[in-house]
Every structure is written in structure tokens, then in C-alpha cells.
Amino acid sequence: MDGMSLLKRIKQQRNLHFMVLPGMAWMLVFCYVPMIWLVISFKEYDITKPMWDSPWVGLFHFKEIFSDDRFWGVIKNTLGISFYKLIAAFPIPVIFALFLNELKNIKFKRTIQTISYLPHFISWAIFGGILLNWLSTTGLVNNIMVALNIQNERILYNSDPRYFWWIAVISDVWKELGWNAIIYLCAISGIDLNLYDAAHVDGAGRFKKMWHITVQSIRPTIAILFILAVSNVFNGSFEQIFVIRNSMNLPASETIDIFVYNMGISQGRFSYSTAVILLRSVLSLLFLLMANYASGKLTGESLF
Amino acid sequence: MSNVLKRFICLKLAVLLTAALLAGCAQSAPKKNQTEGPVSEKAAKTSEDNKVLDPDVPGWKLDTSPVTFKWFLDANWYKYEWNTPVSRYVTEKTGVTINFDVPTGNPNDKLTTLIASNSLPDILSVGFWQPNFKKLMESGMVYALNELADEYDPYFYKVAGDATLKWYKQPDGNTYCMPNEAYTAAQMEETGVTNANQTFLVRKDIYEEIGRPDMRTPEGFINALQMLKESYSTYKGRTIYPLYVQGGNSTVGCYGLEEMLMNFLAIPYEKDGKVYDRYADPEYIRWLKTFRRAYEMNLITMEFFVDTAPQVEQKINNADYFCMIQEWTGVAASIPSMSKDDPDIVYMAVDGPSNSRLEPARVYAGSMTGWLPVFISKNCSKADRAIRFLSYWASEEGQRDFFLGRKGETWDNIDGKDQLKPAVVNDLNTLSFDDFAAKYGAADTYWMLRNPVSVYKWRPFKIPALQQMVDWANEHADFSSGYVKELNPSGNSPEGIAFSKIRSVWGQTLPKLLTAGSDEEFDKLWDDFIEKRDELGFDIVQEYMQKQLEVFKEKLEN
Amino acid sequence: MDSMGKARGKSRYYPTSLFDICNVAIMLLIGFSTIYPVWFIFVNSIAGADEALTTSVNWWPKTLYLGNYLAVFKDGGIANAFLISVLRTVTATFIHIFFTGMVAYGLSKKYLAGRKIYMLIGIVTMLFQGGLIPTFLLIKNLGMYDRFIVYIIPAMFNFYNLIIFASFFNSLPQSLEESAKVDGAKEFLIFTRIIIPCSKAVFATLALFVGVYNWNDYFMGVMYIDNDKLRPIQTVLYKIVSESAASVIQQQAMEALGKRISPDSIKFAAMVIATLPIVLVYPFLQKYFVKGLMMGSLKG
């Protein structure tokens, strides 16, 4: 389109633009102004001096990051845990919502719905404590495994890097299952009931309806949330990992957030930790754009 | 209606944009010009009557008009306020009222924002381990205490002591902070009161039943654990865990298996004036291998690396561990709980792992480093009163006022000794400390400038089981080791970064060493670690440590 | 009842099958495993101090003890903090969902000129953040520090929520608006008169998300509030918990061997007190999830 018609269109749509612009202004103030601060990743920032007075150091901090061989282990763990979560923790709430929707007793359905979302309100500090009690040698998991003769000896589960990713993923599903399902339940509630009736007349069975009507109707929601989840793969959930990691599972449990915390924040290295965070943001943006493109091609759903 | 809204939105947009721009400018504008001025500028204003001050006269007596200080505490758990009988007494005497600024959440985060926005309160207590601690001294945002003392209160030198001022003296010749909870070597030697708390503890009843085995040698240690495993893996109805090591839940090493164990083995920090690599000492490796063997033989578990603090606390409350490499302060609070049914269920300090010459342990005794050193910020408009208040608190009189309270009310000279009245001691023992603090405000309610050695003589006695541990630690205290906490580099200097990287690698290596399948595997892991350590810049760390060693040894000697 | 319609509709189609039995069994298992941690926290918050210090209560405590709750309520500011939390949550949530919803409606129109640029601007804010220091300075410079408004304005918009809104608005049938447009209604009126009533489910969902966020947030109260009277309940409880946790440190430091409350139990008690009000909101909101809302509006 040429410039003239664009201007014309904007003028035509001015009412819509007046609805959008306040949001843009808000973001300008509360997001973009603080974002100026990201330039300290190219500086050596000292909190006792004004930010612009600190010296420029170019890509020094980024070189430092890439020359640290622990960084690659950190990337591996972060992506590993996120990948497990995309495969397991992303679809389970969808399935849960679908099955919940099939319950016939409305009271039972509401009760389960409410109960399942409760663990979301428990902080990781407390939830992690319960989890680690269950995983200890005298804990529930060992008691069950020994009673069922699956294992002979009591295992210190949380000491073994091999188990760690699974512990992280399963506990995350356990805690957030009900909460994450809310959005799908909301989407399901918007489905036109006539569609089911029509399908019934066509002789569709239960699973057919589940797949062809329910899943297809909430597909846009699933696609959008999946794109957002992909952009989130570089954010290891700090609070969770911080609680359940220890020196024995460290080879599998050191994620970007922990790395930033250890190498930057706890030592007051603001520029360095900001550089890691900036790098992570850039990578996240790339992932989001890729996922958005792929989703647009495959499912027809995209953010823009 | 939509027109009204439209106008409203336009207006709001304009306001927000302006605000954003303003904010952007405000941030980038230089902001801290008033902090740069030297002390004397302000001094000229505040002390018009510039007469010569007598170093023997307490400065705080010169002016007791009311003044209020806001005092930042790097302790988000502190909950007592300046409204107790003791604080009222102090206010009455000095005119000073304190308004404690206790952060919620992470104190260091709060301090960071206070520094970055240049809004420090009048006085600050900041932990020596915080990244912001050194920052404060370099920031130009706090007064040099020696300059303030020269100007307003020469008496400060008398009570703060040379040692204190020297310890935190910066290369620019100034001292910016004054530690609380600090121990000078001279005071420790004179009084026998130390901060030593590193102990090897065993559960008394079991230890005696297996015949008080000698656990100083690897053979004896393994032997004792073997006896435990054979006959006492459950005892008095509970599962017994063979060993606990303090600090295992850290991911950058394990305090109990490093500093404490090395101190038990009497490994020196220096040899012939050169800083000594304690990790490479054969005695240390010999004991790590002993632990490895004990693990291989199923005599100990690695639970101490995995258990969370509450899990450990529960086990200690139940006395579930047979032996512990643990500071006695960490079990003190648990003794009533573990021995409430059976007085024999209690821990005692014994000689644990020792070097092959069976030399006695040399544990850390305490130093001038202290706990939360105190700063006076340049935002304090009454710096003269602040420095005088610090010297008041640091003086014997201040120590007594804060610990004992007002004479005749909470304390008296009984049997020729200044002490709390029996009724007060009884309350200290029976009330919760919160209630005690609210009722009296004495004892340990206010510790911001407490001198532990000075107040020791006023403390009521301890329970015997604890006293045994205290005595053991005091007997093995190494008074010459005051500098050791100052050796490790920190912050974002090259050596600080190298050091933290080495710590991280070590944190991963240590559990692997103990769980290695054989001594050969152990050696291989060890060699890998040493190689990695050199690669990460161990030499610059050593250089820094050497420099610190020289600086602080000199400070100790004079 | 409309809300029963769907369920009744289904049972009309099928008799109870093996699938239903398995489904109920799985749901019971999930229900049990998710309620257990909550139960654990509750029973440990009412366990006697001795018991809590030496063991974890799994089902029911041997002795009941309400001292943890008393310890929390002993702090006189709780009632005020509760009021602040309610005020803050209600105001901020209402403004947030209205404001974000409005922007989202504008952006949900695929034909909007410059939509891609707007979206990109927004997406960047989800992924790039300035951090603690600049945000603190911004709040200070805007004059919001230590004022109630700091709970409202900085929390009135979120692009993630906008995306969820927009994807729902997109799925609304075009016919809804077209009739209004024919009548000459402006977009803002369409949004308030037609879109909001037809999107109760998404508004309820996001009100829940935002409400829970606002209620649970203690950080604003930590970072930007000095005045005790303006602290929300989560900040106050956070403070009580950290004080209790460290009274152990302090007691160790001074070798006082008095009675003490197990810090974990007080943490649990604080959690129960702080989350109970917000947890109770969900069952209330659930009615907006069950109805076929759009259906109702289309038919009616």
C-alpha cells in the first residue's frame, strides 16, 4: 500500500487507534524507559555513580559469557528442562481440561476444578519443602517404591542429576496443572453447544466430538499459548529450581536464572548479569518469531 | 460520550508521555553532587563553637538535645523497636532516638536501591559479606569516621580502639565503618572469651555405649562408624544417621568439609609468610579419602548434601545424627527439645578428625571483621551527634546501659559483681525473648554495636551440656587466625570473578570426590579439579590472598 | 438452569461408560494429589510446637495448637493490611482488565493499520525488562513511591494478558459487531456494550489471573512502600515469616534457650491466612466458565 492510503486508513480507523495508543504509551513509560538501562551490559556499571557516567566496555561482558564453559552447560540445562516441560507440562493441562469437560456431575467437576488449582497458591519455598520431604530416603516415594518391590534400596532421589529434570517437570505439572487448565476451560466454555448437537445428529461418537469440536475450537488458544511457551524456554523457573537444586544434582540443575543469580546478582556484577539477561531476551525473541512463523504456516494461528 | 473519552485518553497519553520523558531525563542527569563535598564543608556549618575538644571527655555529653536518626539494618528479621525501657533510658541520657529501618525482603536489594537513588538513611549496619559493603566505602556516600572523630569527638579514638579503626582502614587512610560483634586478639587472650564455635559433636549416649572410641584417626573413625552400623543403626526407637556436615546444602562448597575440617586437622593458613594452599595439604586429602571410603563401605550417607535446612533442623531436634561437624551454636537451640525425655540424649564435643601427628585442632577464634559494621551516611545532617552516639555505645558505659539497663531497675551490684537482678534473669529464662525484649529491652535486644567480650561478664550462665561445647571450642581457639576471613577475594574484580568460578567448580567436585568408586577415581577427579582451578586463574587468587595476608597480619600485629 | 445444560445434554447422549468411570477415578487421583499439599500445610499450621519441631505431621496432629495463628494476628496491622490488599486488588484488577481489554480489542482487528508494529512493540515488553534499579528510579521519579497509586498504575497493563484477550475477541463471530456498526456505533461503544457482555468467560479468567497476581504480590510493598499503613497483607506476612525464621538465628547468636515457635509452622499459618480469601474467589467465578455464554447472547 502507498503512504497516502495508509494515512487514510489510519484516519478512518482513528477510533480503534485511540483505543490502542494508551496501551502503547503505558508500555513506553513502564517498559521502554527502564529498558534504556539494558545499555549497562555494554558498560561497567557502578551503582554508586550515575548510569551514563560508567565507562563503555563494548562486548566485554558478552565475551566473558561465551568464554565461560559453564555457560553452555547452563544453556543445556535450561533448554533441557524447558523442552521436557513443552512436551509434558504443556499438553497435560489441555488434556486435563478436556477430560474435566467430559465429567457429567457438575458439582464434582467444579470441586475438582477448584481443588486442582490450589497448589498454585503455595509458594515454591513451601511446596519444594514438601516435595523434598517426599523424595527423601524415608519419604513417601521411597516408601511406595520399596513396598511395591520396584526397588530394593532406598534411593536419595534428589541427589542424582539423572532424575533432576523429571523432578522439575513433574513437580511443575503437579503444582500448576489446575491453574494452567483454567484458560482452556475458559476457551471450552465459549464453544457453541449447537455444534455438539449437530455432530450428534451426524452420528459422531464421544471421542470424535472431543477431537473435532472441542479441540478444534480451542485450537487458537492452544496455538497462541504454545508460541508464548516457546518464547519462554530460556526462563528456567528460578524459584522452583532454587529450592530443589543442591550440590549433588548441580550438573543438571544449574539454569540461566541460577547462573545469573550466582555470577551476577549475589556478587553485585550488574553489568554482567544484565548482559546475560539481554542475551537471553534476544534469544527468546528469536524463538518467539520462529514459533510464530511456524505456527502461522502449520495451524494458521499466529500472534501477528 | 465517546468524545469525552477520546479527549480523556488524549490527555492521559500526553501526561504519560511527558512523565516518561521527564523520568528518562531525571535518570540520565548526574544526581549525586552533594555527596562529593568533603566533611569539613558541613563541619563548618554545624560546629560554630569551634573550641578545642578534650579527647578524655565523652563527646555525647556536650549536646543532649533531642535528635532522631534513621538507622538501616541489614537484618530483615529484626523486629524490636526503640520503645523499650532501655531505649528510653538511653534517649533520656543522650537525647538520641533511633528509628530502625528494617528492610522487608532481601536487605541487599534494598540497599542497592538506596545507593542507586542516593537516599541512604543516617546510619547503616551492613553485613561485611554483602557485595554492597565494599561499594559503600568506595562510594563517597558515607563519612570517614576518623574525620568525623577529629572534627567532633576525639573521645571516639579512646573507645573505638586502635585495632578497630585499623582493621577496616582503607588504602586512602580512612576508616568508614565500625564493626559490632568484633573480637580483638588481645581481648580474647586476656579474657578467654572467644567467638570459637567450630566443634566435632557426638551423641553422648551412643558414644559412651560404644566405648568412647578414638575418632581422631581414619581407622578409629571408620571403626566407630562400623560399630554404629552394626549395633546402633536404630537406637531408642529412632533411625540414626551416622554423620552430618554443616554447610552441605550450599552449592559452592561445604563449610564443614572445608574450613572446619581443615581447622580440625590444624592445617596452617600460611607457611613462612606465604599463603598456604590448604586444599592441597596431604592431611586434608587423606581425610577426604577417609570419608570416601566410609561412603563406599555404606557407613555414611550423602544426605547432608541434599537435605534442606528444615529437614536438618528436625533431625537435630531429634538428635538423629551420631556425629556432626557442626558449630555448637547450631545445636544450642535444639538441646531442650532433644533431651526433654532423656537427659542423656545430648551432644558433646570431642576430638574428631585430626592430622597424622594427632595435633590438637585449631579452630577459628573470631576477629575484628565482626558482623554488621556501622556506617554514617553523608545524608545525615547531624553527623556530629551520630559519631558521638557511636562512641557512647562503644564505650564501657554504653555497653552496660544497653546490656543491663538502668541501675537499680534491671541490674545492681550483687555480691560485688554487676549483674541483672534475679527476677530479670528469671524472665530471660522463662519468657520468650520477644516478651523479654518488650518488657526490658536489655540483654541482646540491641546488638548494633555490641562488643561480645565486654558484655560477656554480665551474661547469665549457660546450661552444662552447652558449656562443655563452649569450653572445647575456646580451648582449641586459634587467636592468631583473625585474618582468615579477609583472605578470599570477592566482588567483580578479576580475582573475585576467578575465585567465584573456582568455588562453583569445587562445589560440583566435592560431592563427586566423596562418592567416587575408588581412590584412583578420586585422584583423577582431584587432578582434574586442580587443572581446572589453574585454568580459571588460581594464580591471581593466590596473589590477592598473599596481599591480604600481609595487610591484615600487619594490622593484627600492631 | 443454563449452566446445567451442557452436562444434561451429554448425559442425554450417552449412558455411563467405562470411560466415565476411568475419568472419575483419574480426577479423584488428581484431586487427591493436589489437595494433599494444601492439607499438609493446614495440619502443620495447627500442630503443637513440639510436634512440629521434631516431625512433619502427615494426617492430623496429636495436639492442636493455635499459637501460630495467634502469633500472626498479634501483629496489630493485619486488619489494615487486609483492607489495603482488598482495595488494591479490586481497584487494580478492575482497571487492568478494562484497560488491557480495551487495547486488546483495538489490536484484535486484523485490518488495523500498523497492527504488526504495535504487536512487535508489545511483544518486546514481554521479553525485555529493565530490571530492579531503573524501575525503582522510574517509580521514584514519577512520584509514585510510597503512595497507594504504585499498586495501580504500574500494574494496569500486561501484554501477555492482551494476547489472551485478543485471541478471544478474534473468535467472536463478526455478526455481533456488524449489526452495531450498521447502527453507527463507535468502536469504544461496541467494546463496552457488546464485546464485554459477550466475553464474560475471558474477563472472568483474566480477572482471576490479575486478581491473584495483585493479591499475592508482596514485592511492590517491599520495594516501593515505606509507610506501614500502606502495606498489603502479603508484605506484612512475609515480614512476620522472616522475623520468625530469624528469631532462631538471633536466639542462637545470643544462646537464649527459651521456647520458640517452629518457623515452618508459622510460615504455614501465614500462608493459610493470606491465601484463603483469594482462593475463595474462584468457585464464585466458575459460573462464568460453564455457561455457553456466547450462545446465550446470540440466541437471546
Side-chain angles (χ1 to χ4, degrees), chain A residues 18 22 25 28-29 46-48 52 64 68-70 132-133 137 159 245-247 250 266-267 269-270, chain B residues 6 9 13 16-17 20 28 32 131-132 135 139 251 303 305 308 311 491-492 497 500-501 504 508 532:
Chain A
F18 281 132
L28 182 66
V29 177
D46 177 349
I47 57 163
T48 63
W52 293 110
E64 174 93 11
D68 193 333
D69 52 4
R70 272 170 67 218
L132 294 179
N133 273 343
T137 47
S159 71
R245 77 189 177 128
N246 58 51
S247 60
L250 213 52
S266 64
Q267 290 178 63
R269 290 171 71 192
F270 293 102
Chain B
K6 216 189 311 174
I9 288 170
L13 190 67
L16 282 174
L17 274 170
S28 43
K32 284 159 199 157
N132 281 324
K135 273 268 126 68
S139 66
T251 53
E303 240 137 355
F305 278 127
T308 58
Q311 285 173 321
N492 53 6
I497 293 165
S500 81
K501 284 184 180 170
S504 294
Q508 287 198 28
K532 187 86 208 158

Side-chain angles (χ1 to χ4, degrees), chain A residues 9 13 15 17 26 32 99 101 104 113-114 117 134 174 182 186 189 192 197 206 209 281 303-304, chain C residues 10 13-14 20 23 33 36 111 113 118-119 121 123 127 153-154 186 205 279 282 286 289 291 295:
Chain A
R9 274 172 64 206
Q13 306 167 339
N15 287 321
H17 284 282
W26 185 93
Y32 282 91
F99 278 54
N101 192 47
K104 290 178 174 174
Q113 205 176 328
T114 304
Y117 107 128
W134 283 19
W174 178 21
I182 290 177
C186 167
S189 77
D192 188 342
D197 288 331
R206 191 165 191 169
K209 278 193 229 167
S281 300
L303 294 176
F304 56 88
Chain C
K10 270 194 198 129
Y13 306 144
Y14 316 107
D20 288 306
N23 196 8
S33 70
Y36 184 76
Y111 56 78
Y118 286 142
M119 286 301 285
I121 288 175
I123 282 166
L127 303 175
I153 307 280
K186 296 260 170 60
T205 308
V279 159
Y282 187 39
Q286 268 175 357
F289 285 71
K291 283 184 200 170
M295 277 305 305

Side-chain angles (χ1 to χ4, degrees), chain A residues 36-285:
Chain A
I36 297 169
W37 213 259
L38 289 172
V39 302
I40 68 168
S41 35
F42 306 99
K43 286 169 156 272
E44 189 58 66
Y45 173 58
D46 177 349
I47 57 163
T48 63
K49 295 185 188 75
M51 189 261 279
W52 293 110
D53 290 3
S54 22
W56 293 96
V57 294
L59 294 175
F60 174 80
H61 297 295
F62 294 92
K63 283 180 194 145
E64 174 93 11
I65 294 167
F66 288 117
S67 67
D68 193 333
D69 52 4
R70 272 170 67 218
F71 181 72
W72 300 107
V74 164
I75 291 284
K76 188 186 116 201
N77 288 332
T78 311
L79 288 181
I81 293 172
S82 295
F83 185 66
Y84 278 38
K85 281 189 179 169
L86 273 185
I87 290 182
F90 184 79
I92 288 178
V94 184
I95 298 166
F96 174 65
L98 289 176
F99 278 54
L100 201 59
N101 192 47
E102 295 297 319
L103 286 177
K104 290 178 174 174
N105 184 324
I106 206 90
K107 280 214 173 102
F108 182 63
K109 180 184 162 184
R110 281 193 183 184
T111 311
I112 293 291
Q113 205 176 328
T114 304
I115 285 174
S116 67
Y117 107 128
L118 290 177
H120 172 78
F121 291 89
I122 306 174
S123 67
W124 268 111
I126 293 178
F127 195 84
I130 298 173
L131 175 75
L132 294 179
N133 273 343
W134 283 19
L135 290 173
S136 72
T137 47
T138 53
L140 185 80
V141 178
N142 269 302
N143 288 347
I144 292 175
M145 295 303 234
V146 170
L148 294 178
N149 265 324
I150 297 174
Q151 65 192 47
N152 305 324
E153 280 191 357
R154 289 176 174 270
I155 296 173
L156 205 50
Y157 281 106
N158 201 30
S159 71
D160 195 329
R162 281 176 304 173
Y163 300 132
F164 186 81
W165 290 2
W166 285 114
I167 293 175
V169 172
I170 292 169
S171 60
D172 185 58
V173 171
W174 178 21
K175 188 170 178 303
E176 303 297 339
L177 171 69
W179 180 257
N180 290 337
I182 290 177
I183 189 101
Y184 301 111
L185 289 167
C186 167
I188 289 172
S189 77
I191 298 173
D192 188 342
L193 289 185
N194 292 332
L195 292 175
Y196 291 100
D197 288 331
H200 188 68
V201 172
D202 291 348
R206 191 165 191 169
F207 290 98
K208 254 197 164 148
K209 278 193 229 167
M210 230 165 125
W211 179 254
H212 286 292
I213 300 173
T214 319
V215 174
Q216 292 310 314
S217 303
I218 64 171
R219 201 190 55 194
T221 310
I222 299 176
I224 298 282
L225 288 179
F226 189 78
I227 295 170
L228 294 175
V230 169
S231 78
N232 221 18
V233 293
F234 287 100
N235 295 3
S237 44
F238 178 77
E239 285 168 15
Q240 179 195 15
I241 307 292
F242 195 74
V243 175
I244 58 178
R245 77 189 177 128
N246 58 51
S247 60
M248 297 192 82
N249 62 30
L250 213 52
S253 65
E254 195 174 42
T255 58
I256 286 195
D257 293 358
I258 303 278
F259 183 75
V260 170
Y261 178 82
N262 278 348
M263 300 302 291
I265 295 162
S266 64
Q267 290 178 63
R269 290 171 71 192
F270 293 102
S271 286
Y272 180 81
S273 46
T274 307
V276 182
I277 291 168
L278 179 62
L279 188 67
R280 177 177 73 183
S281 300
V282 171
L283 289 173
S284 300
L285 186 62

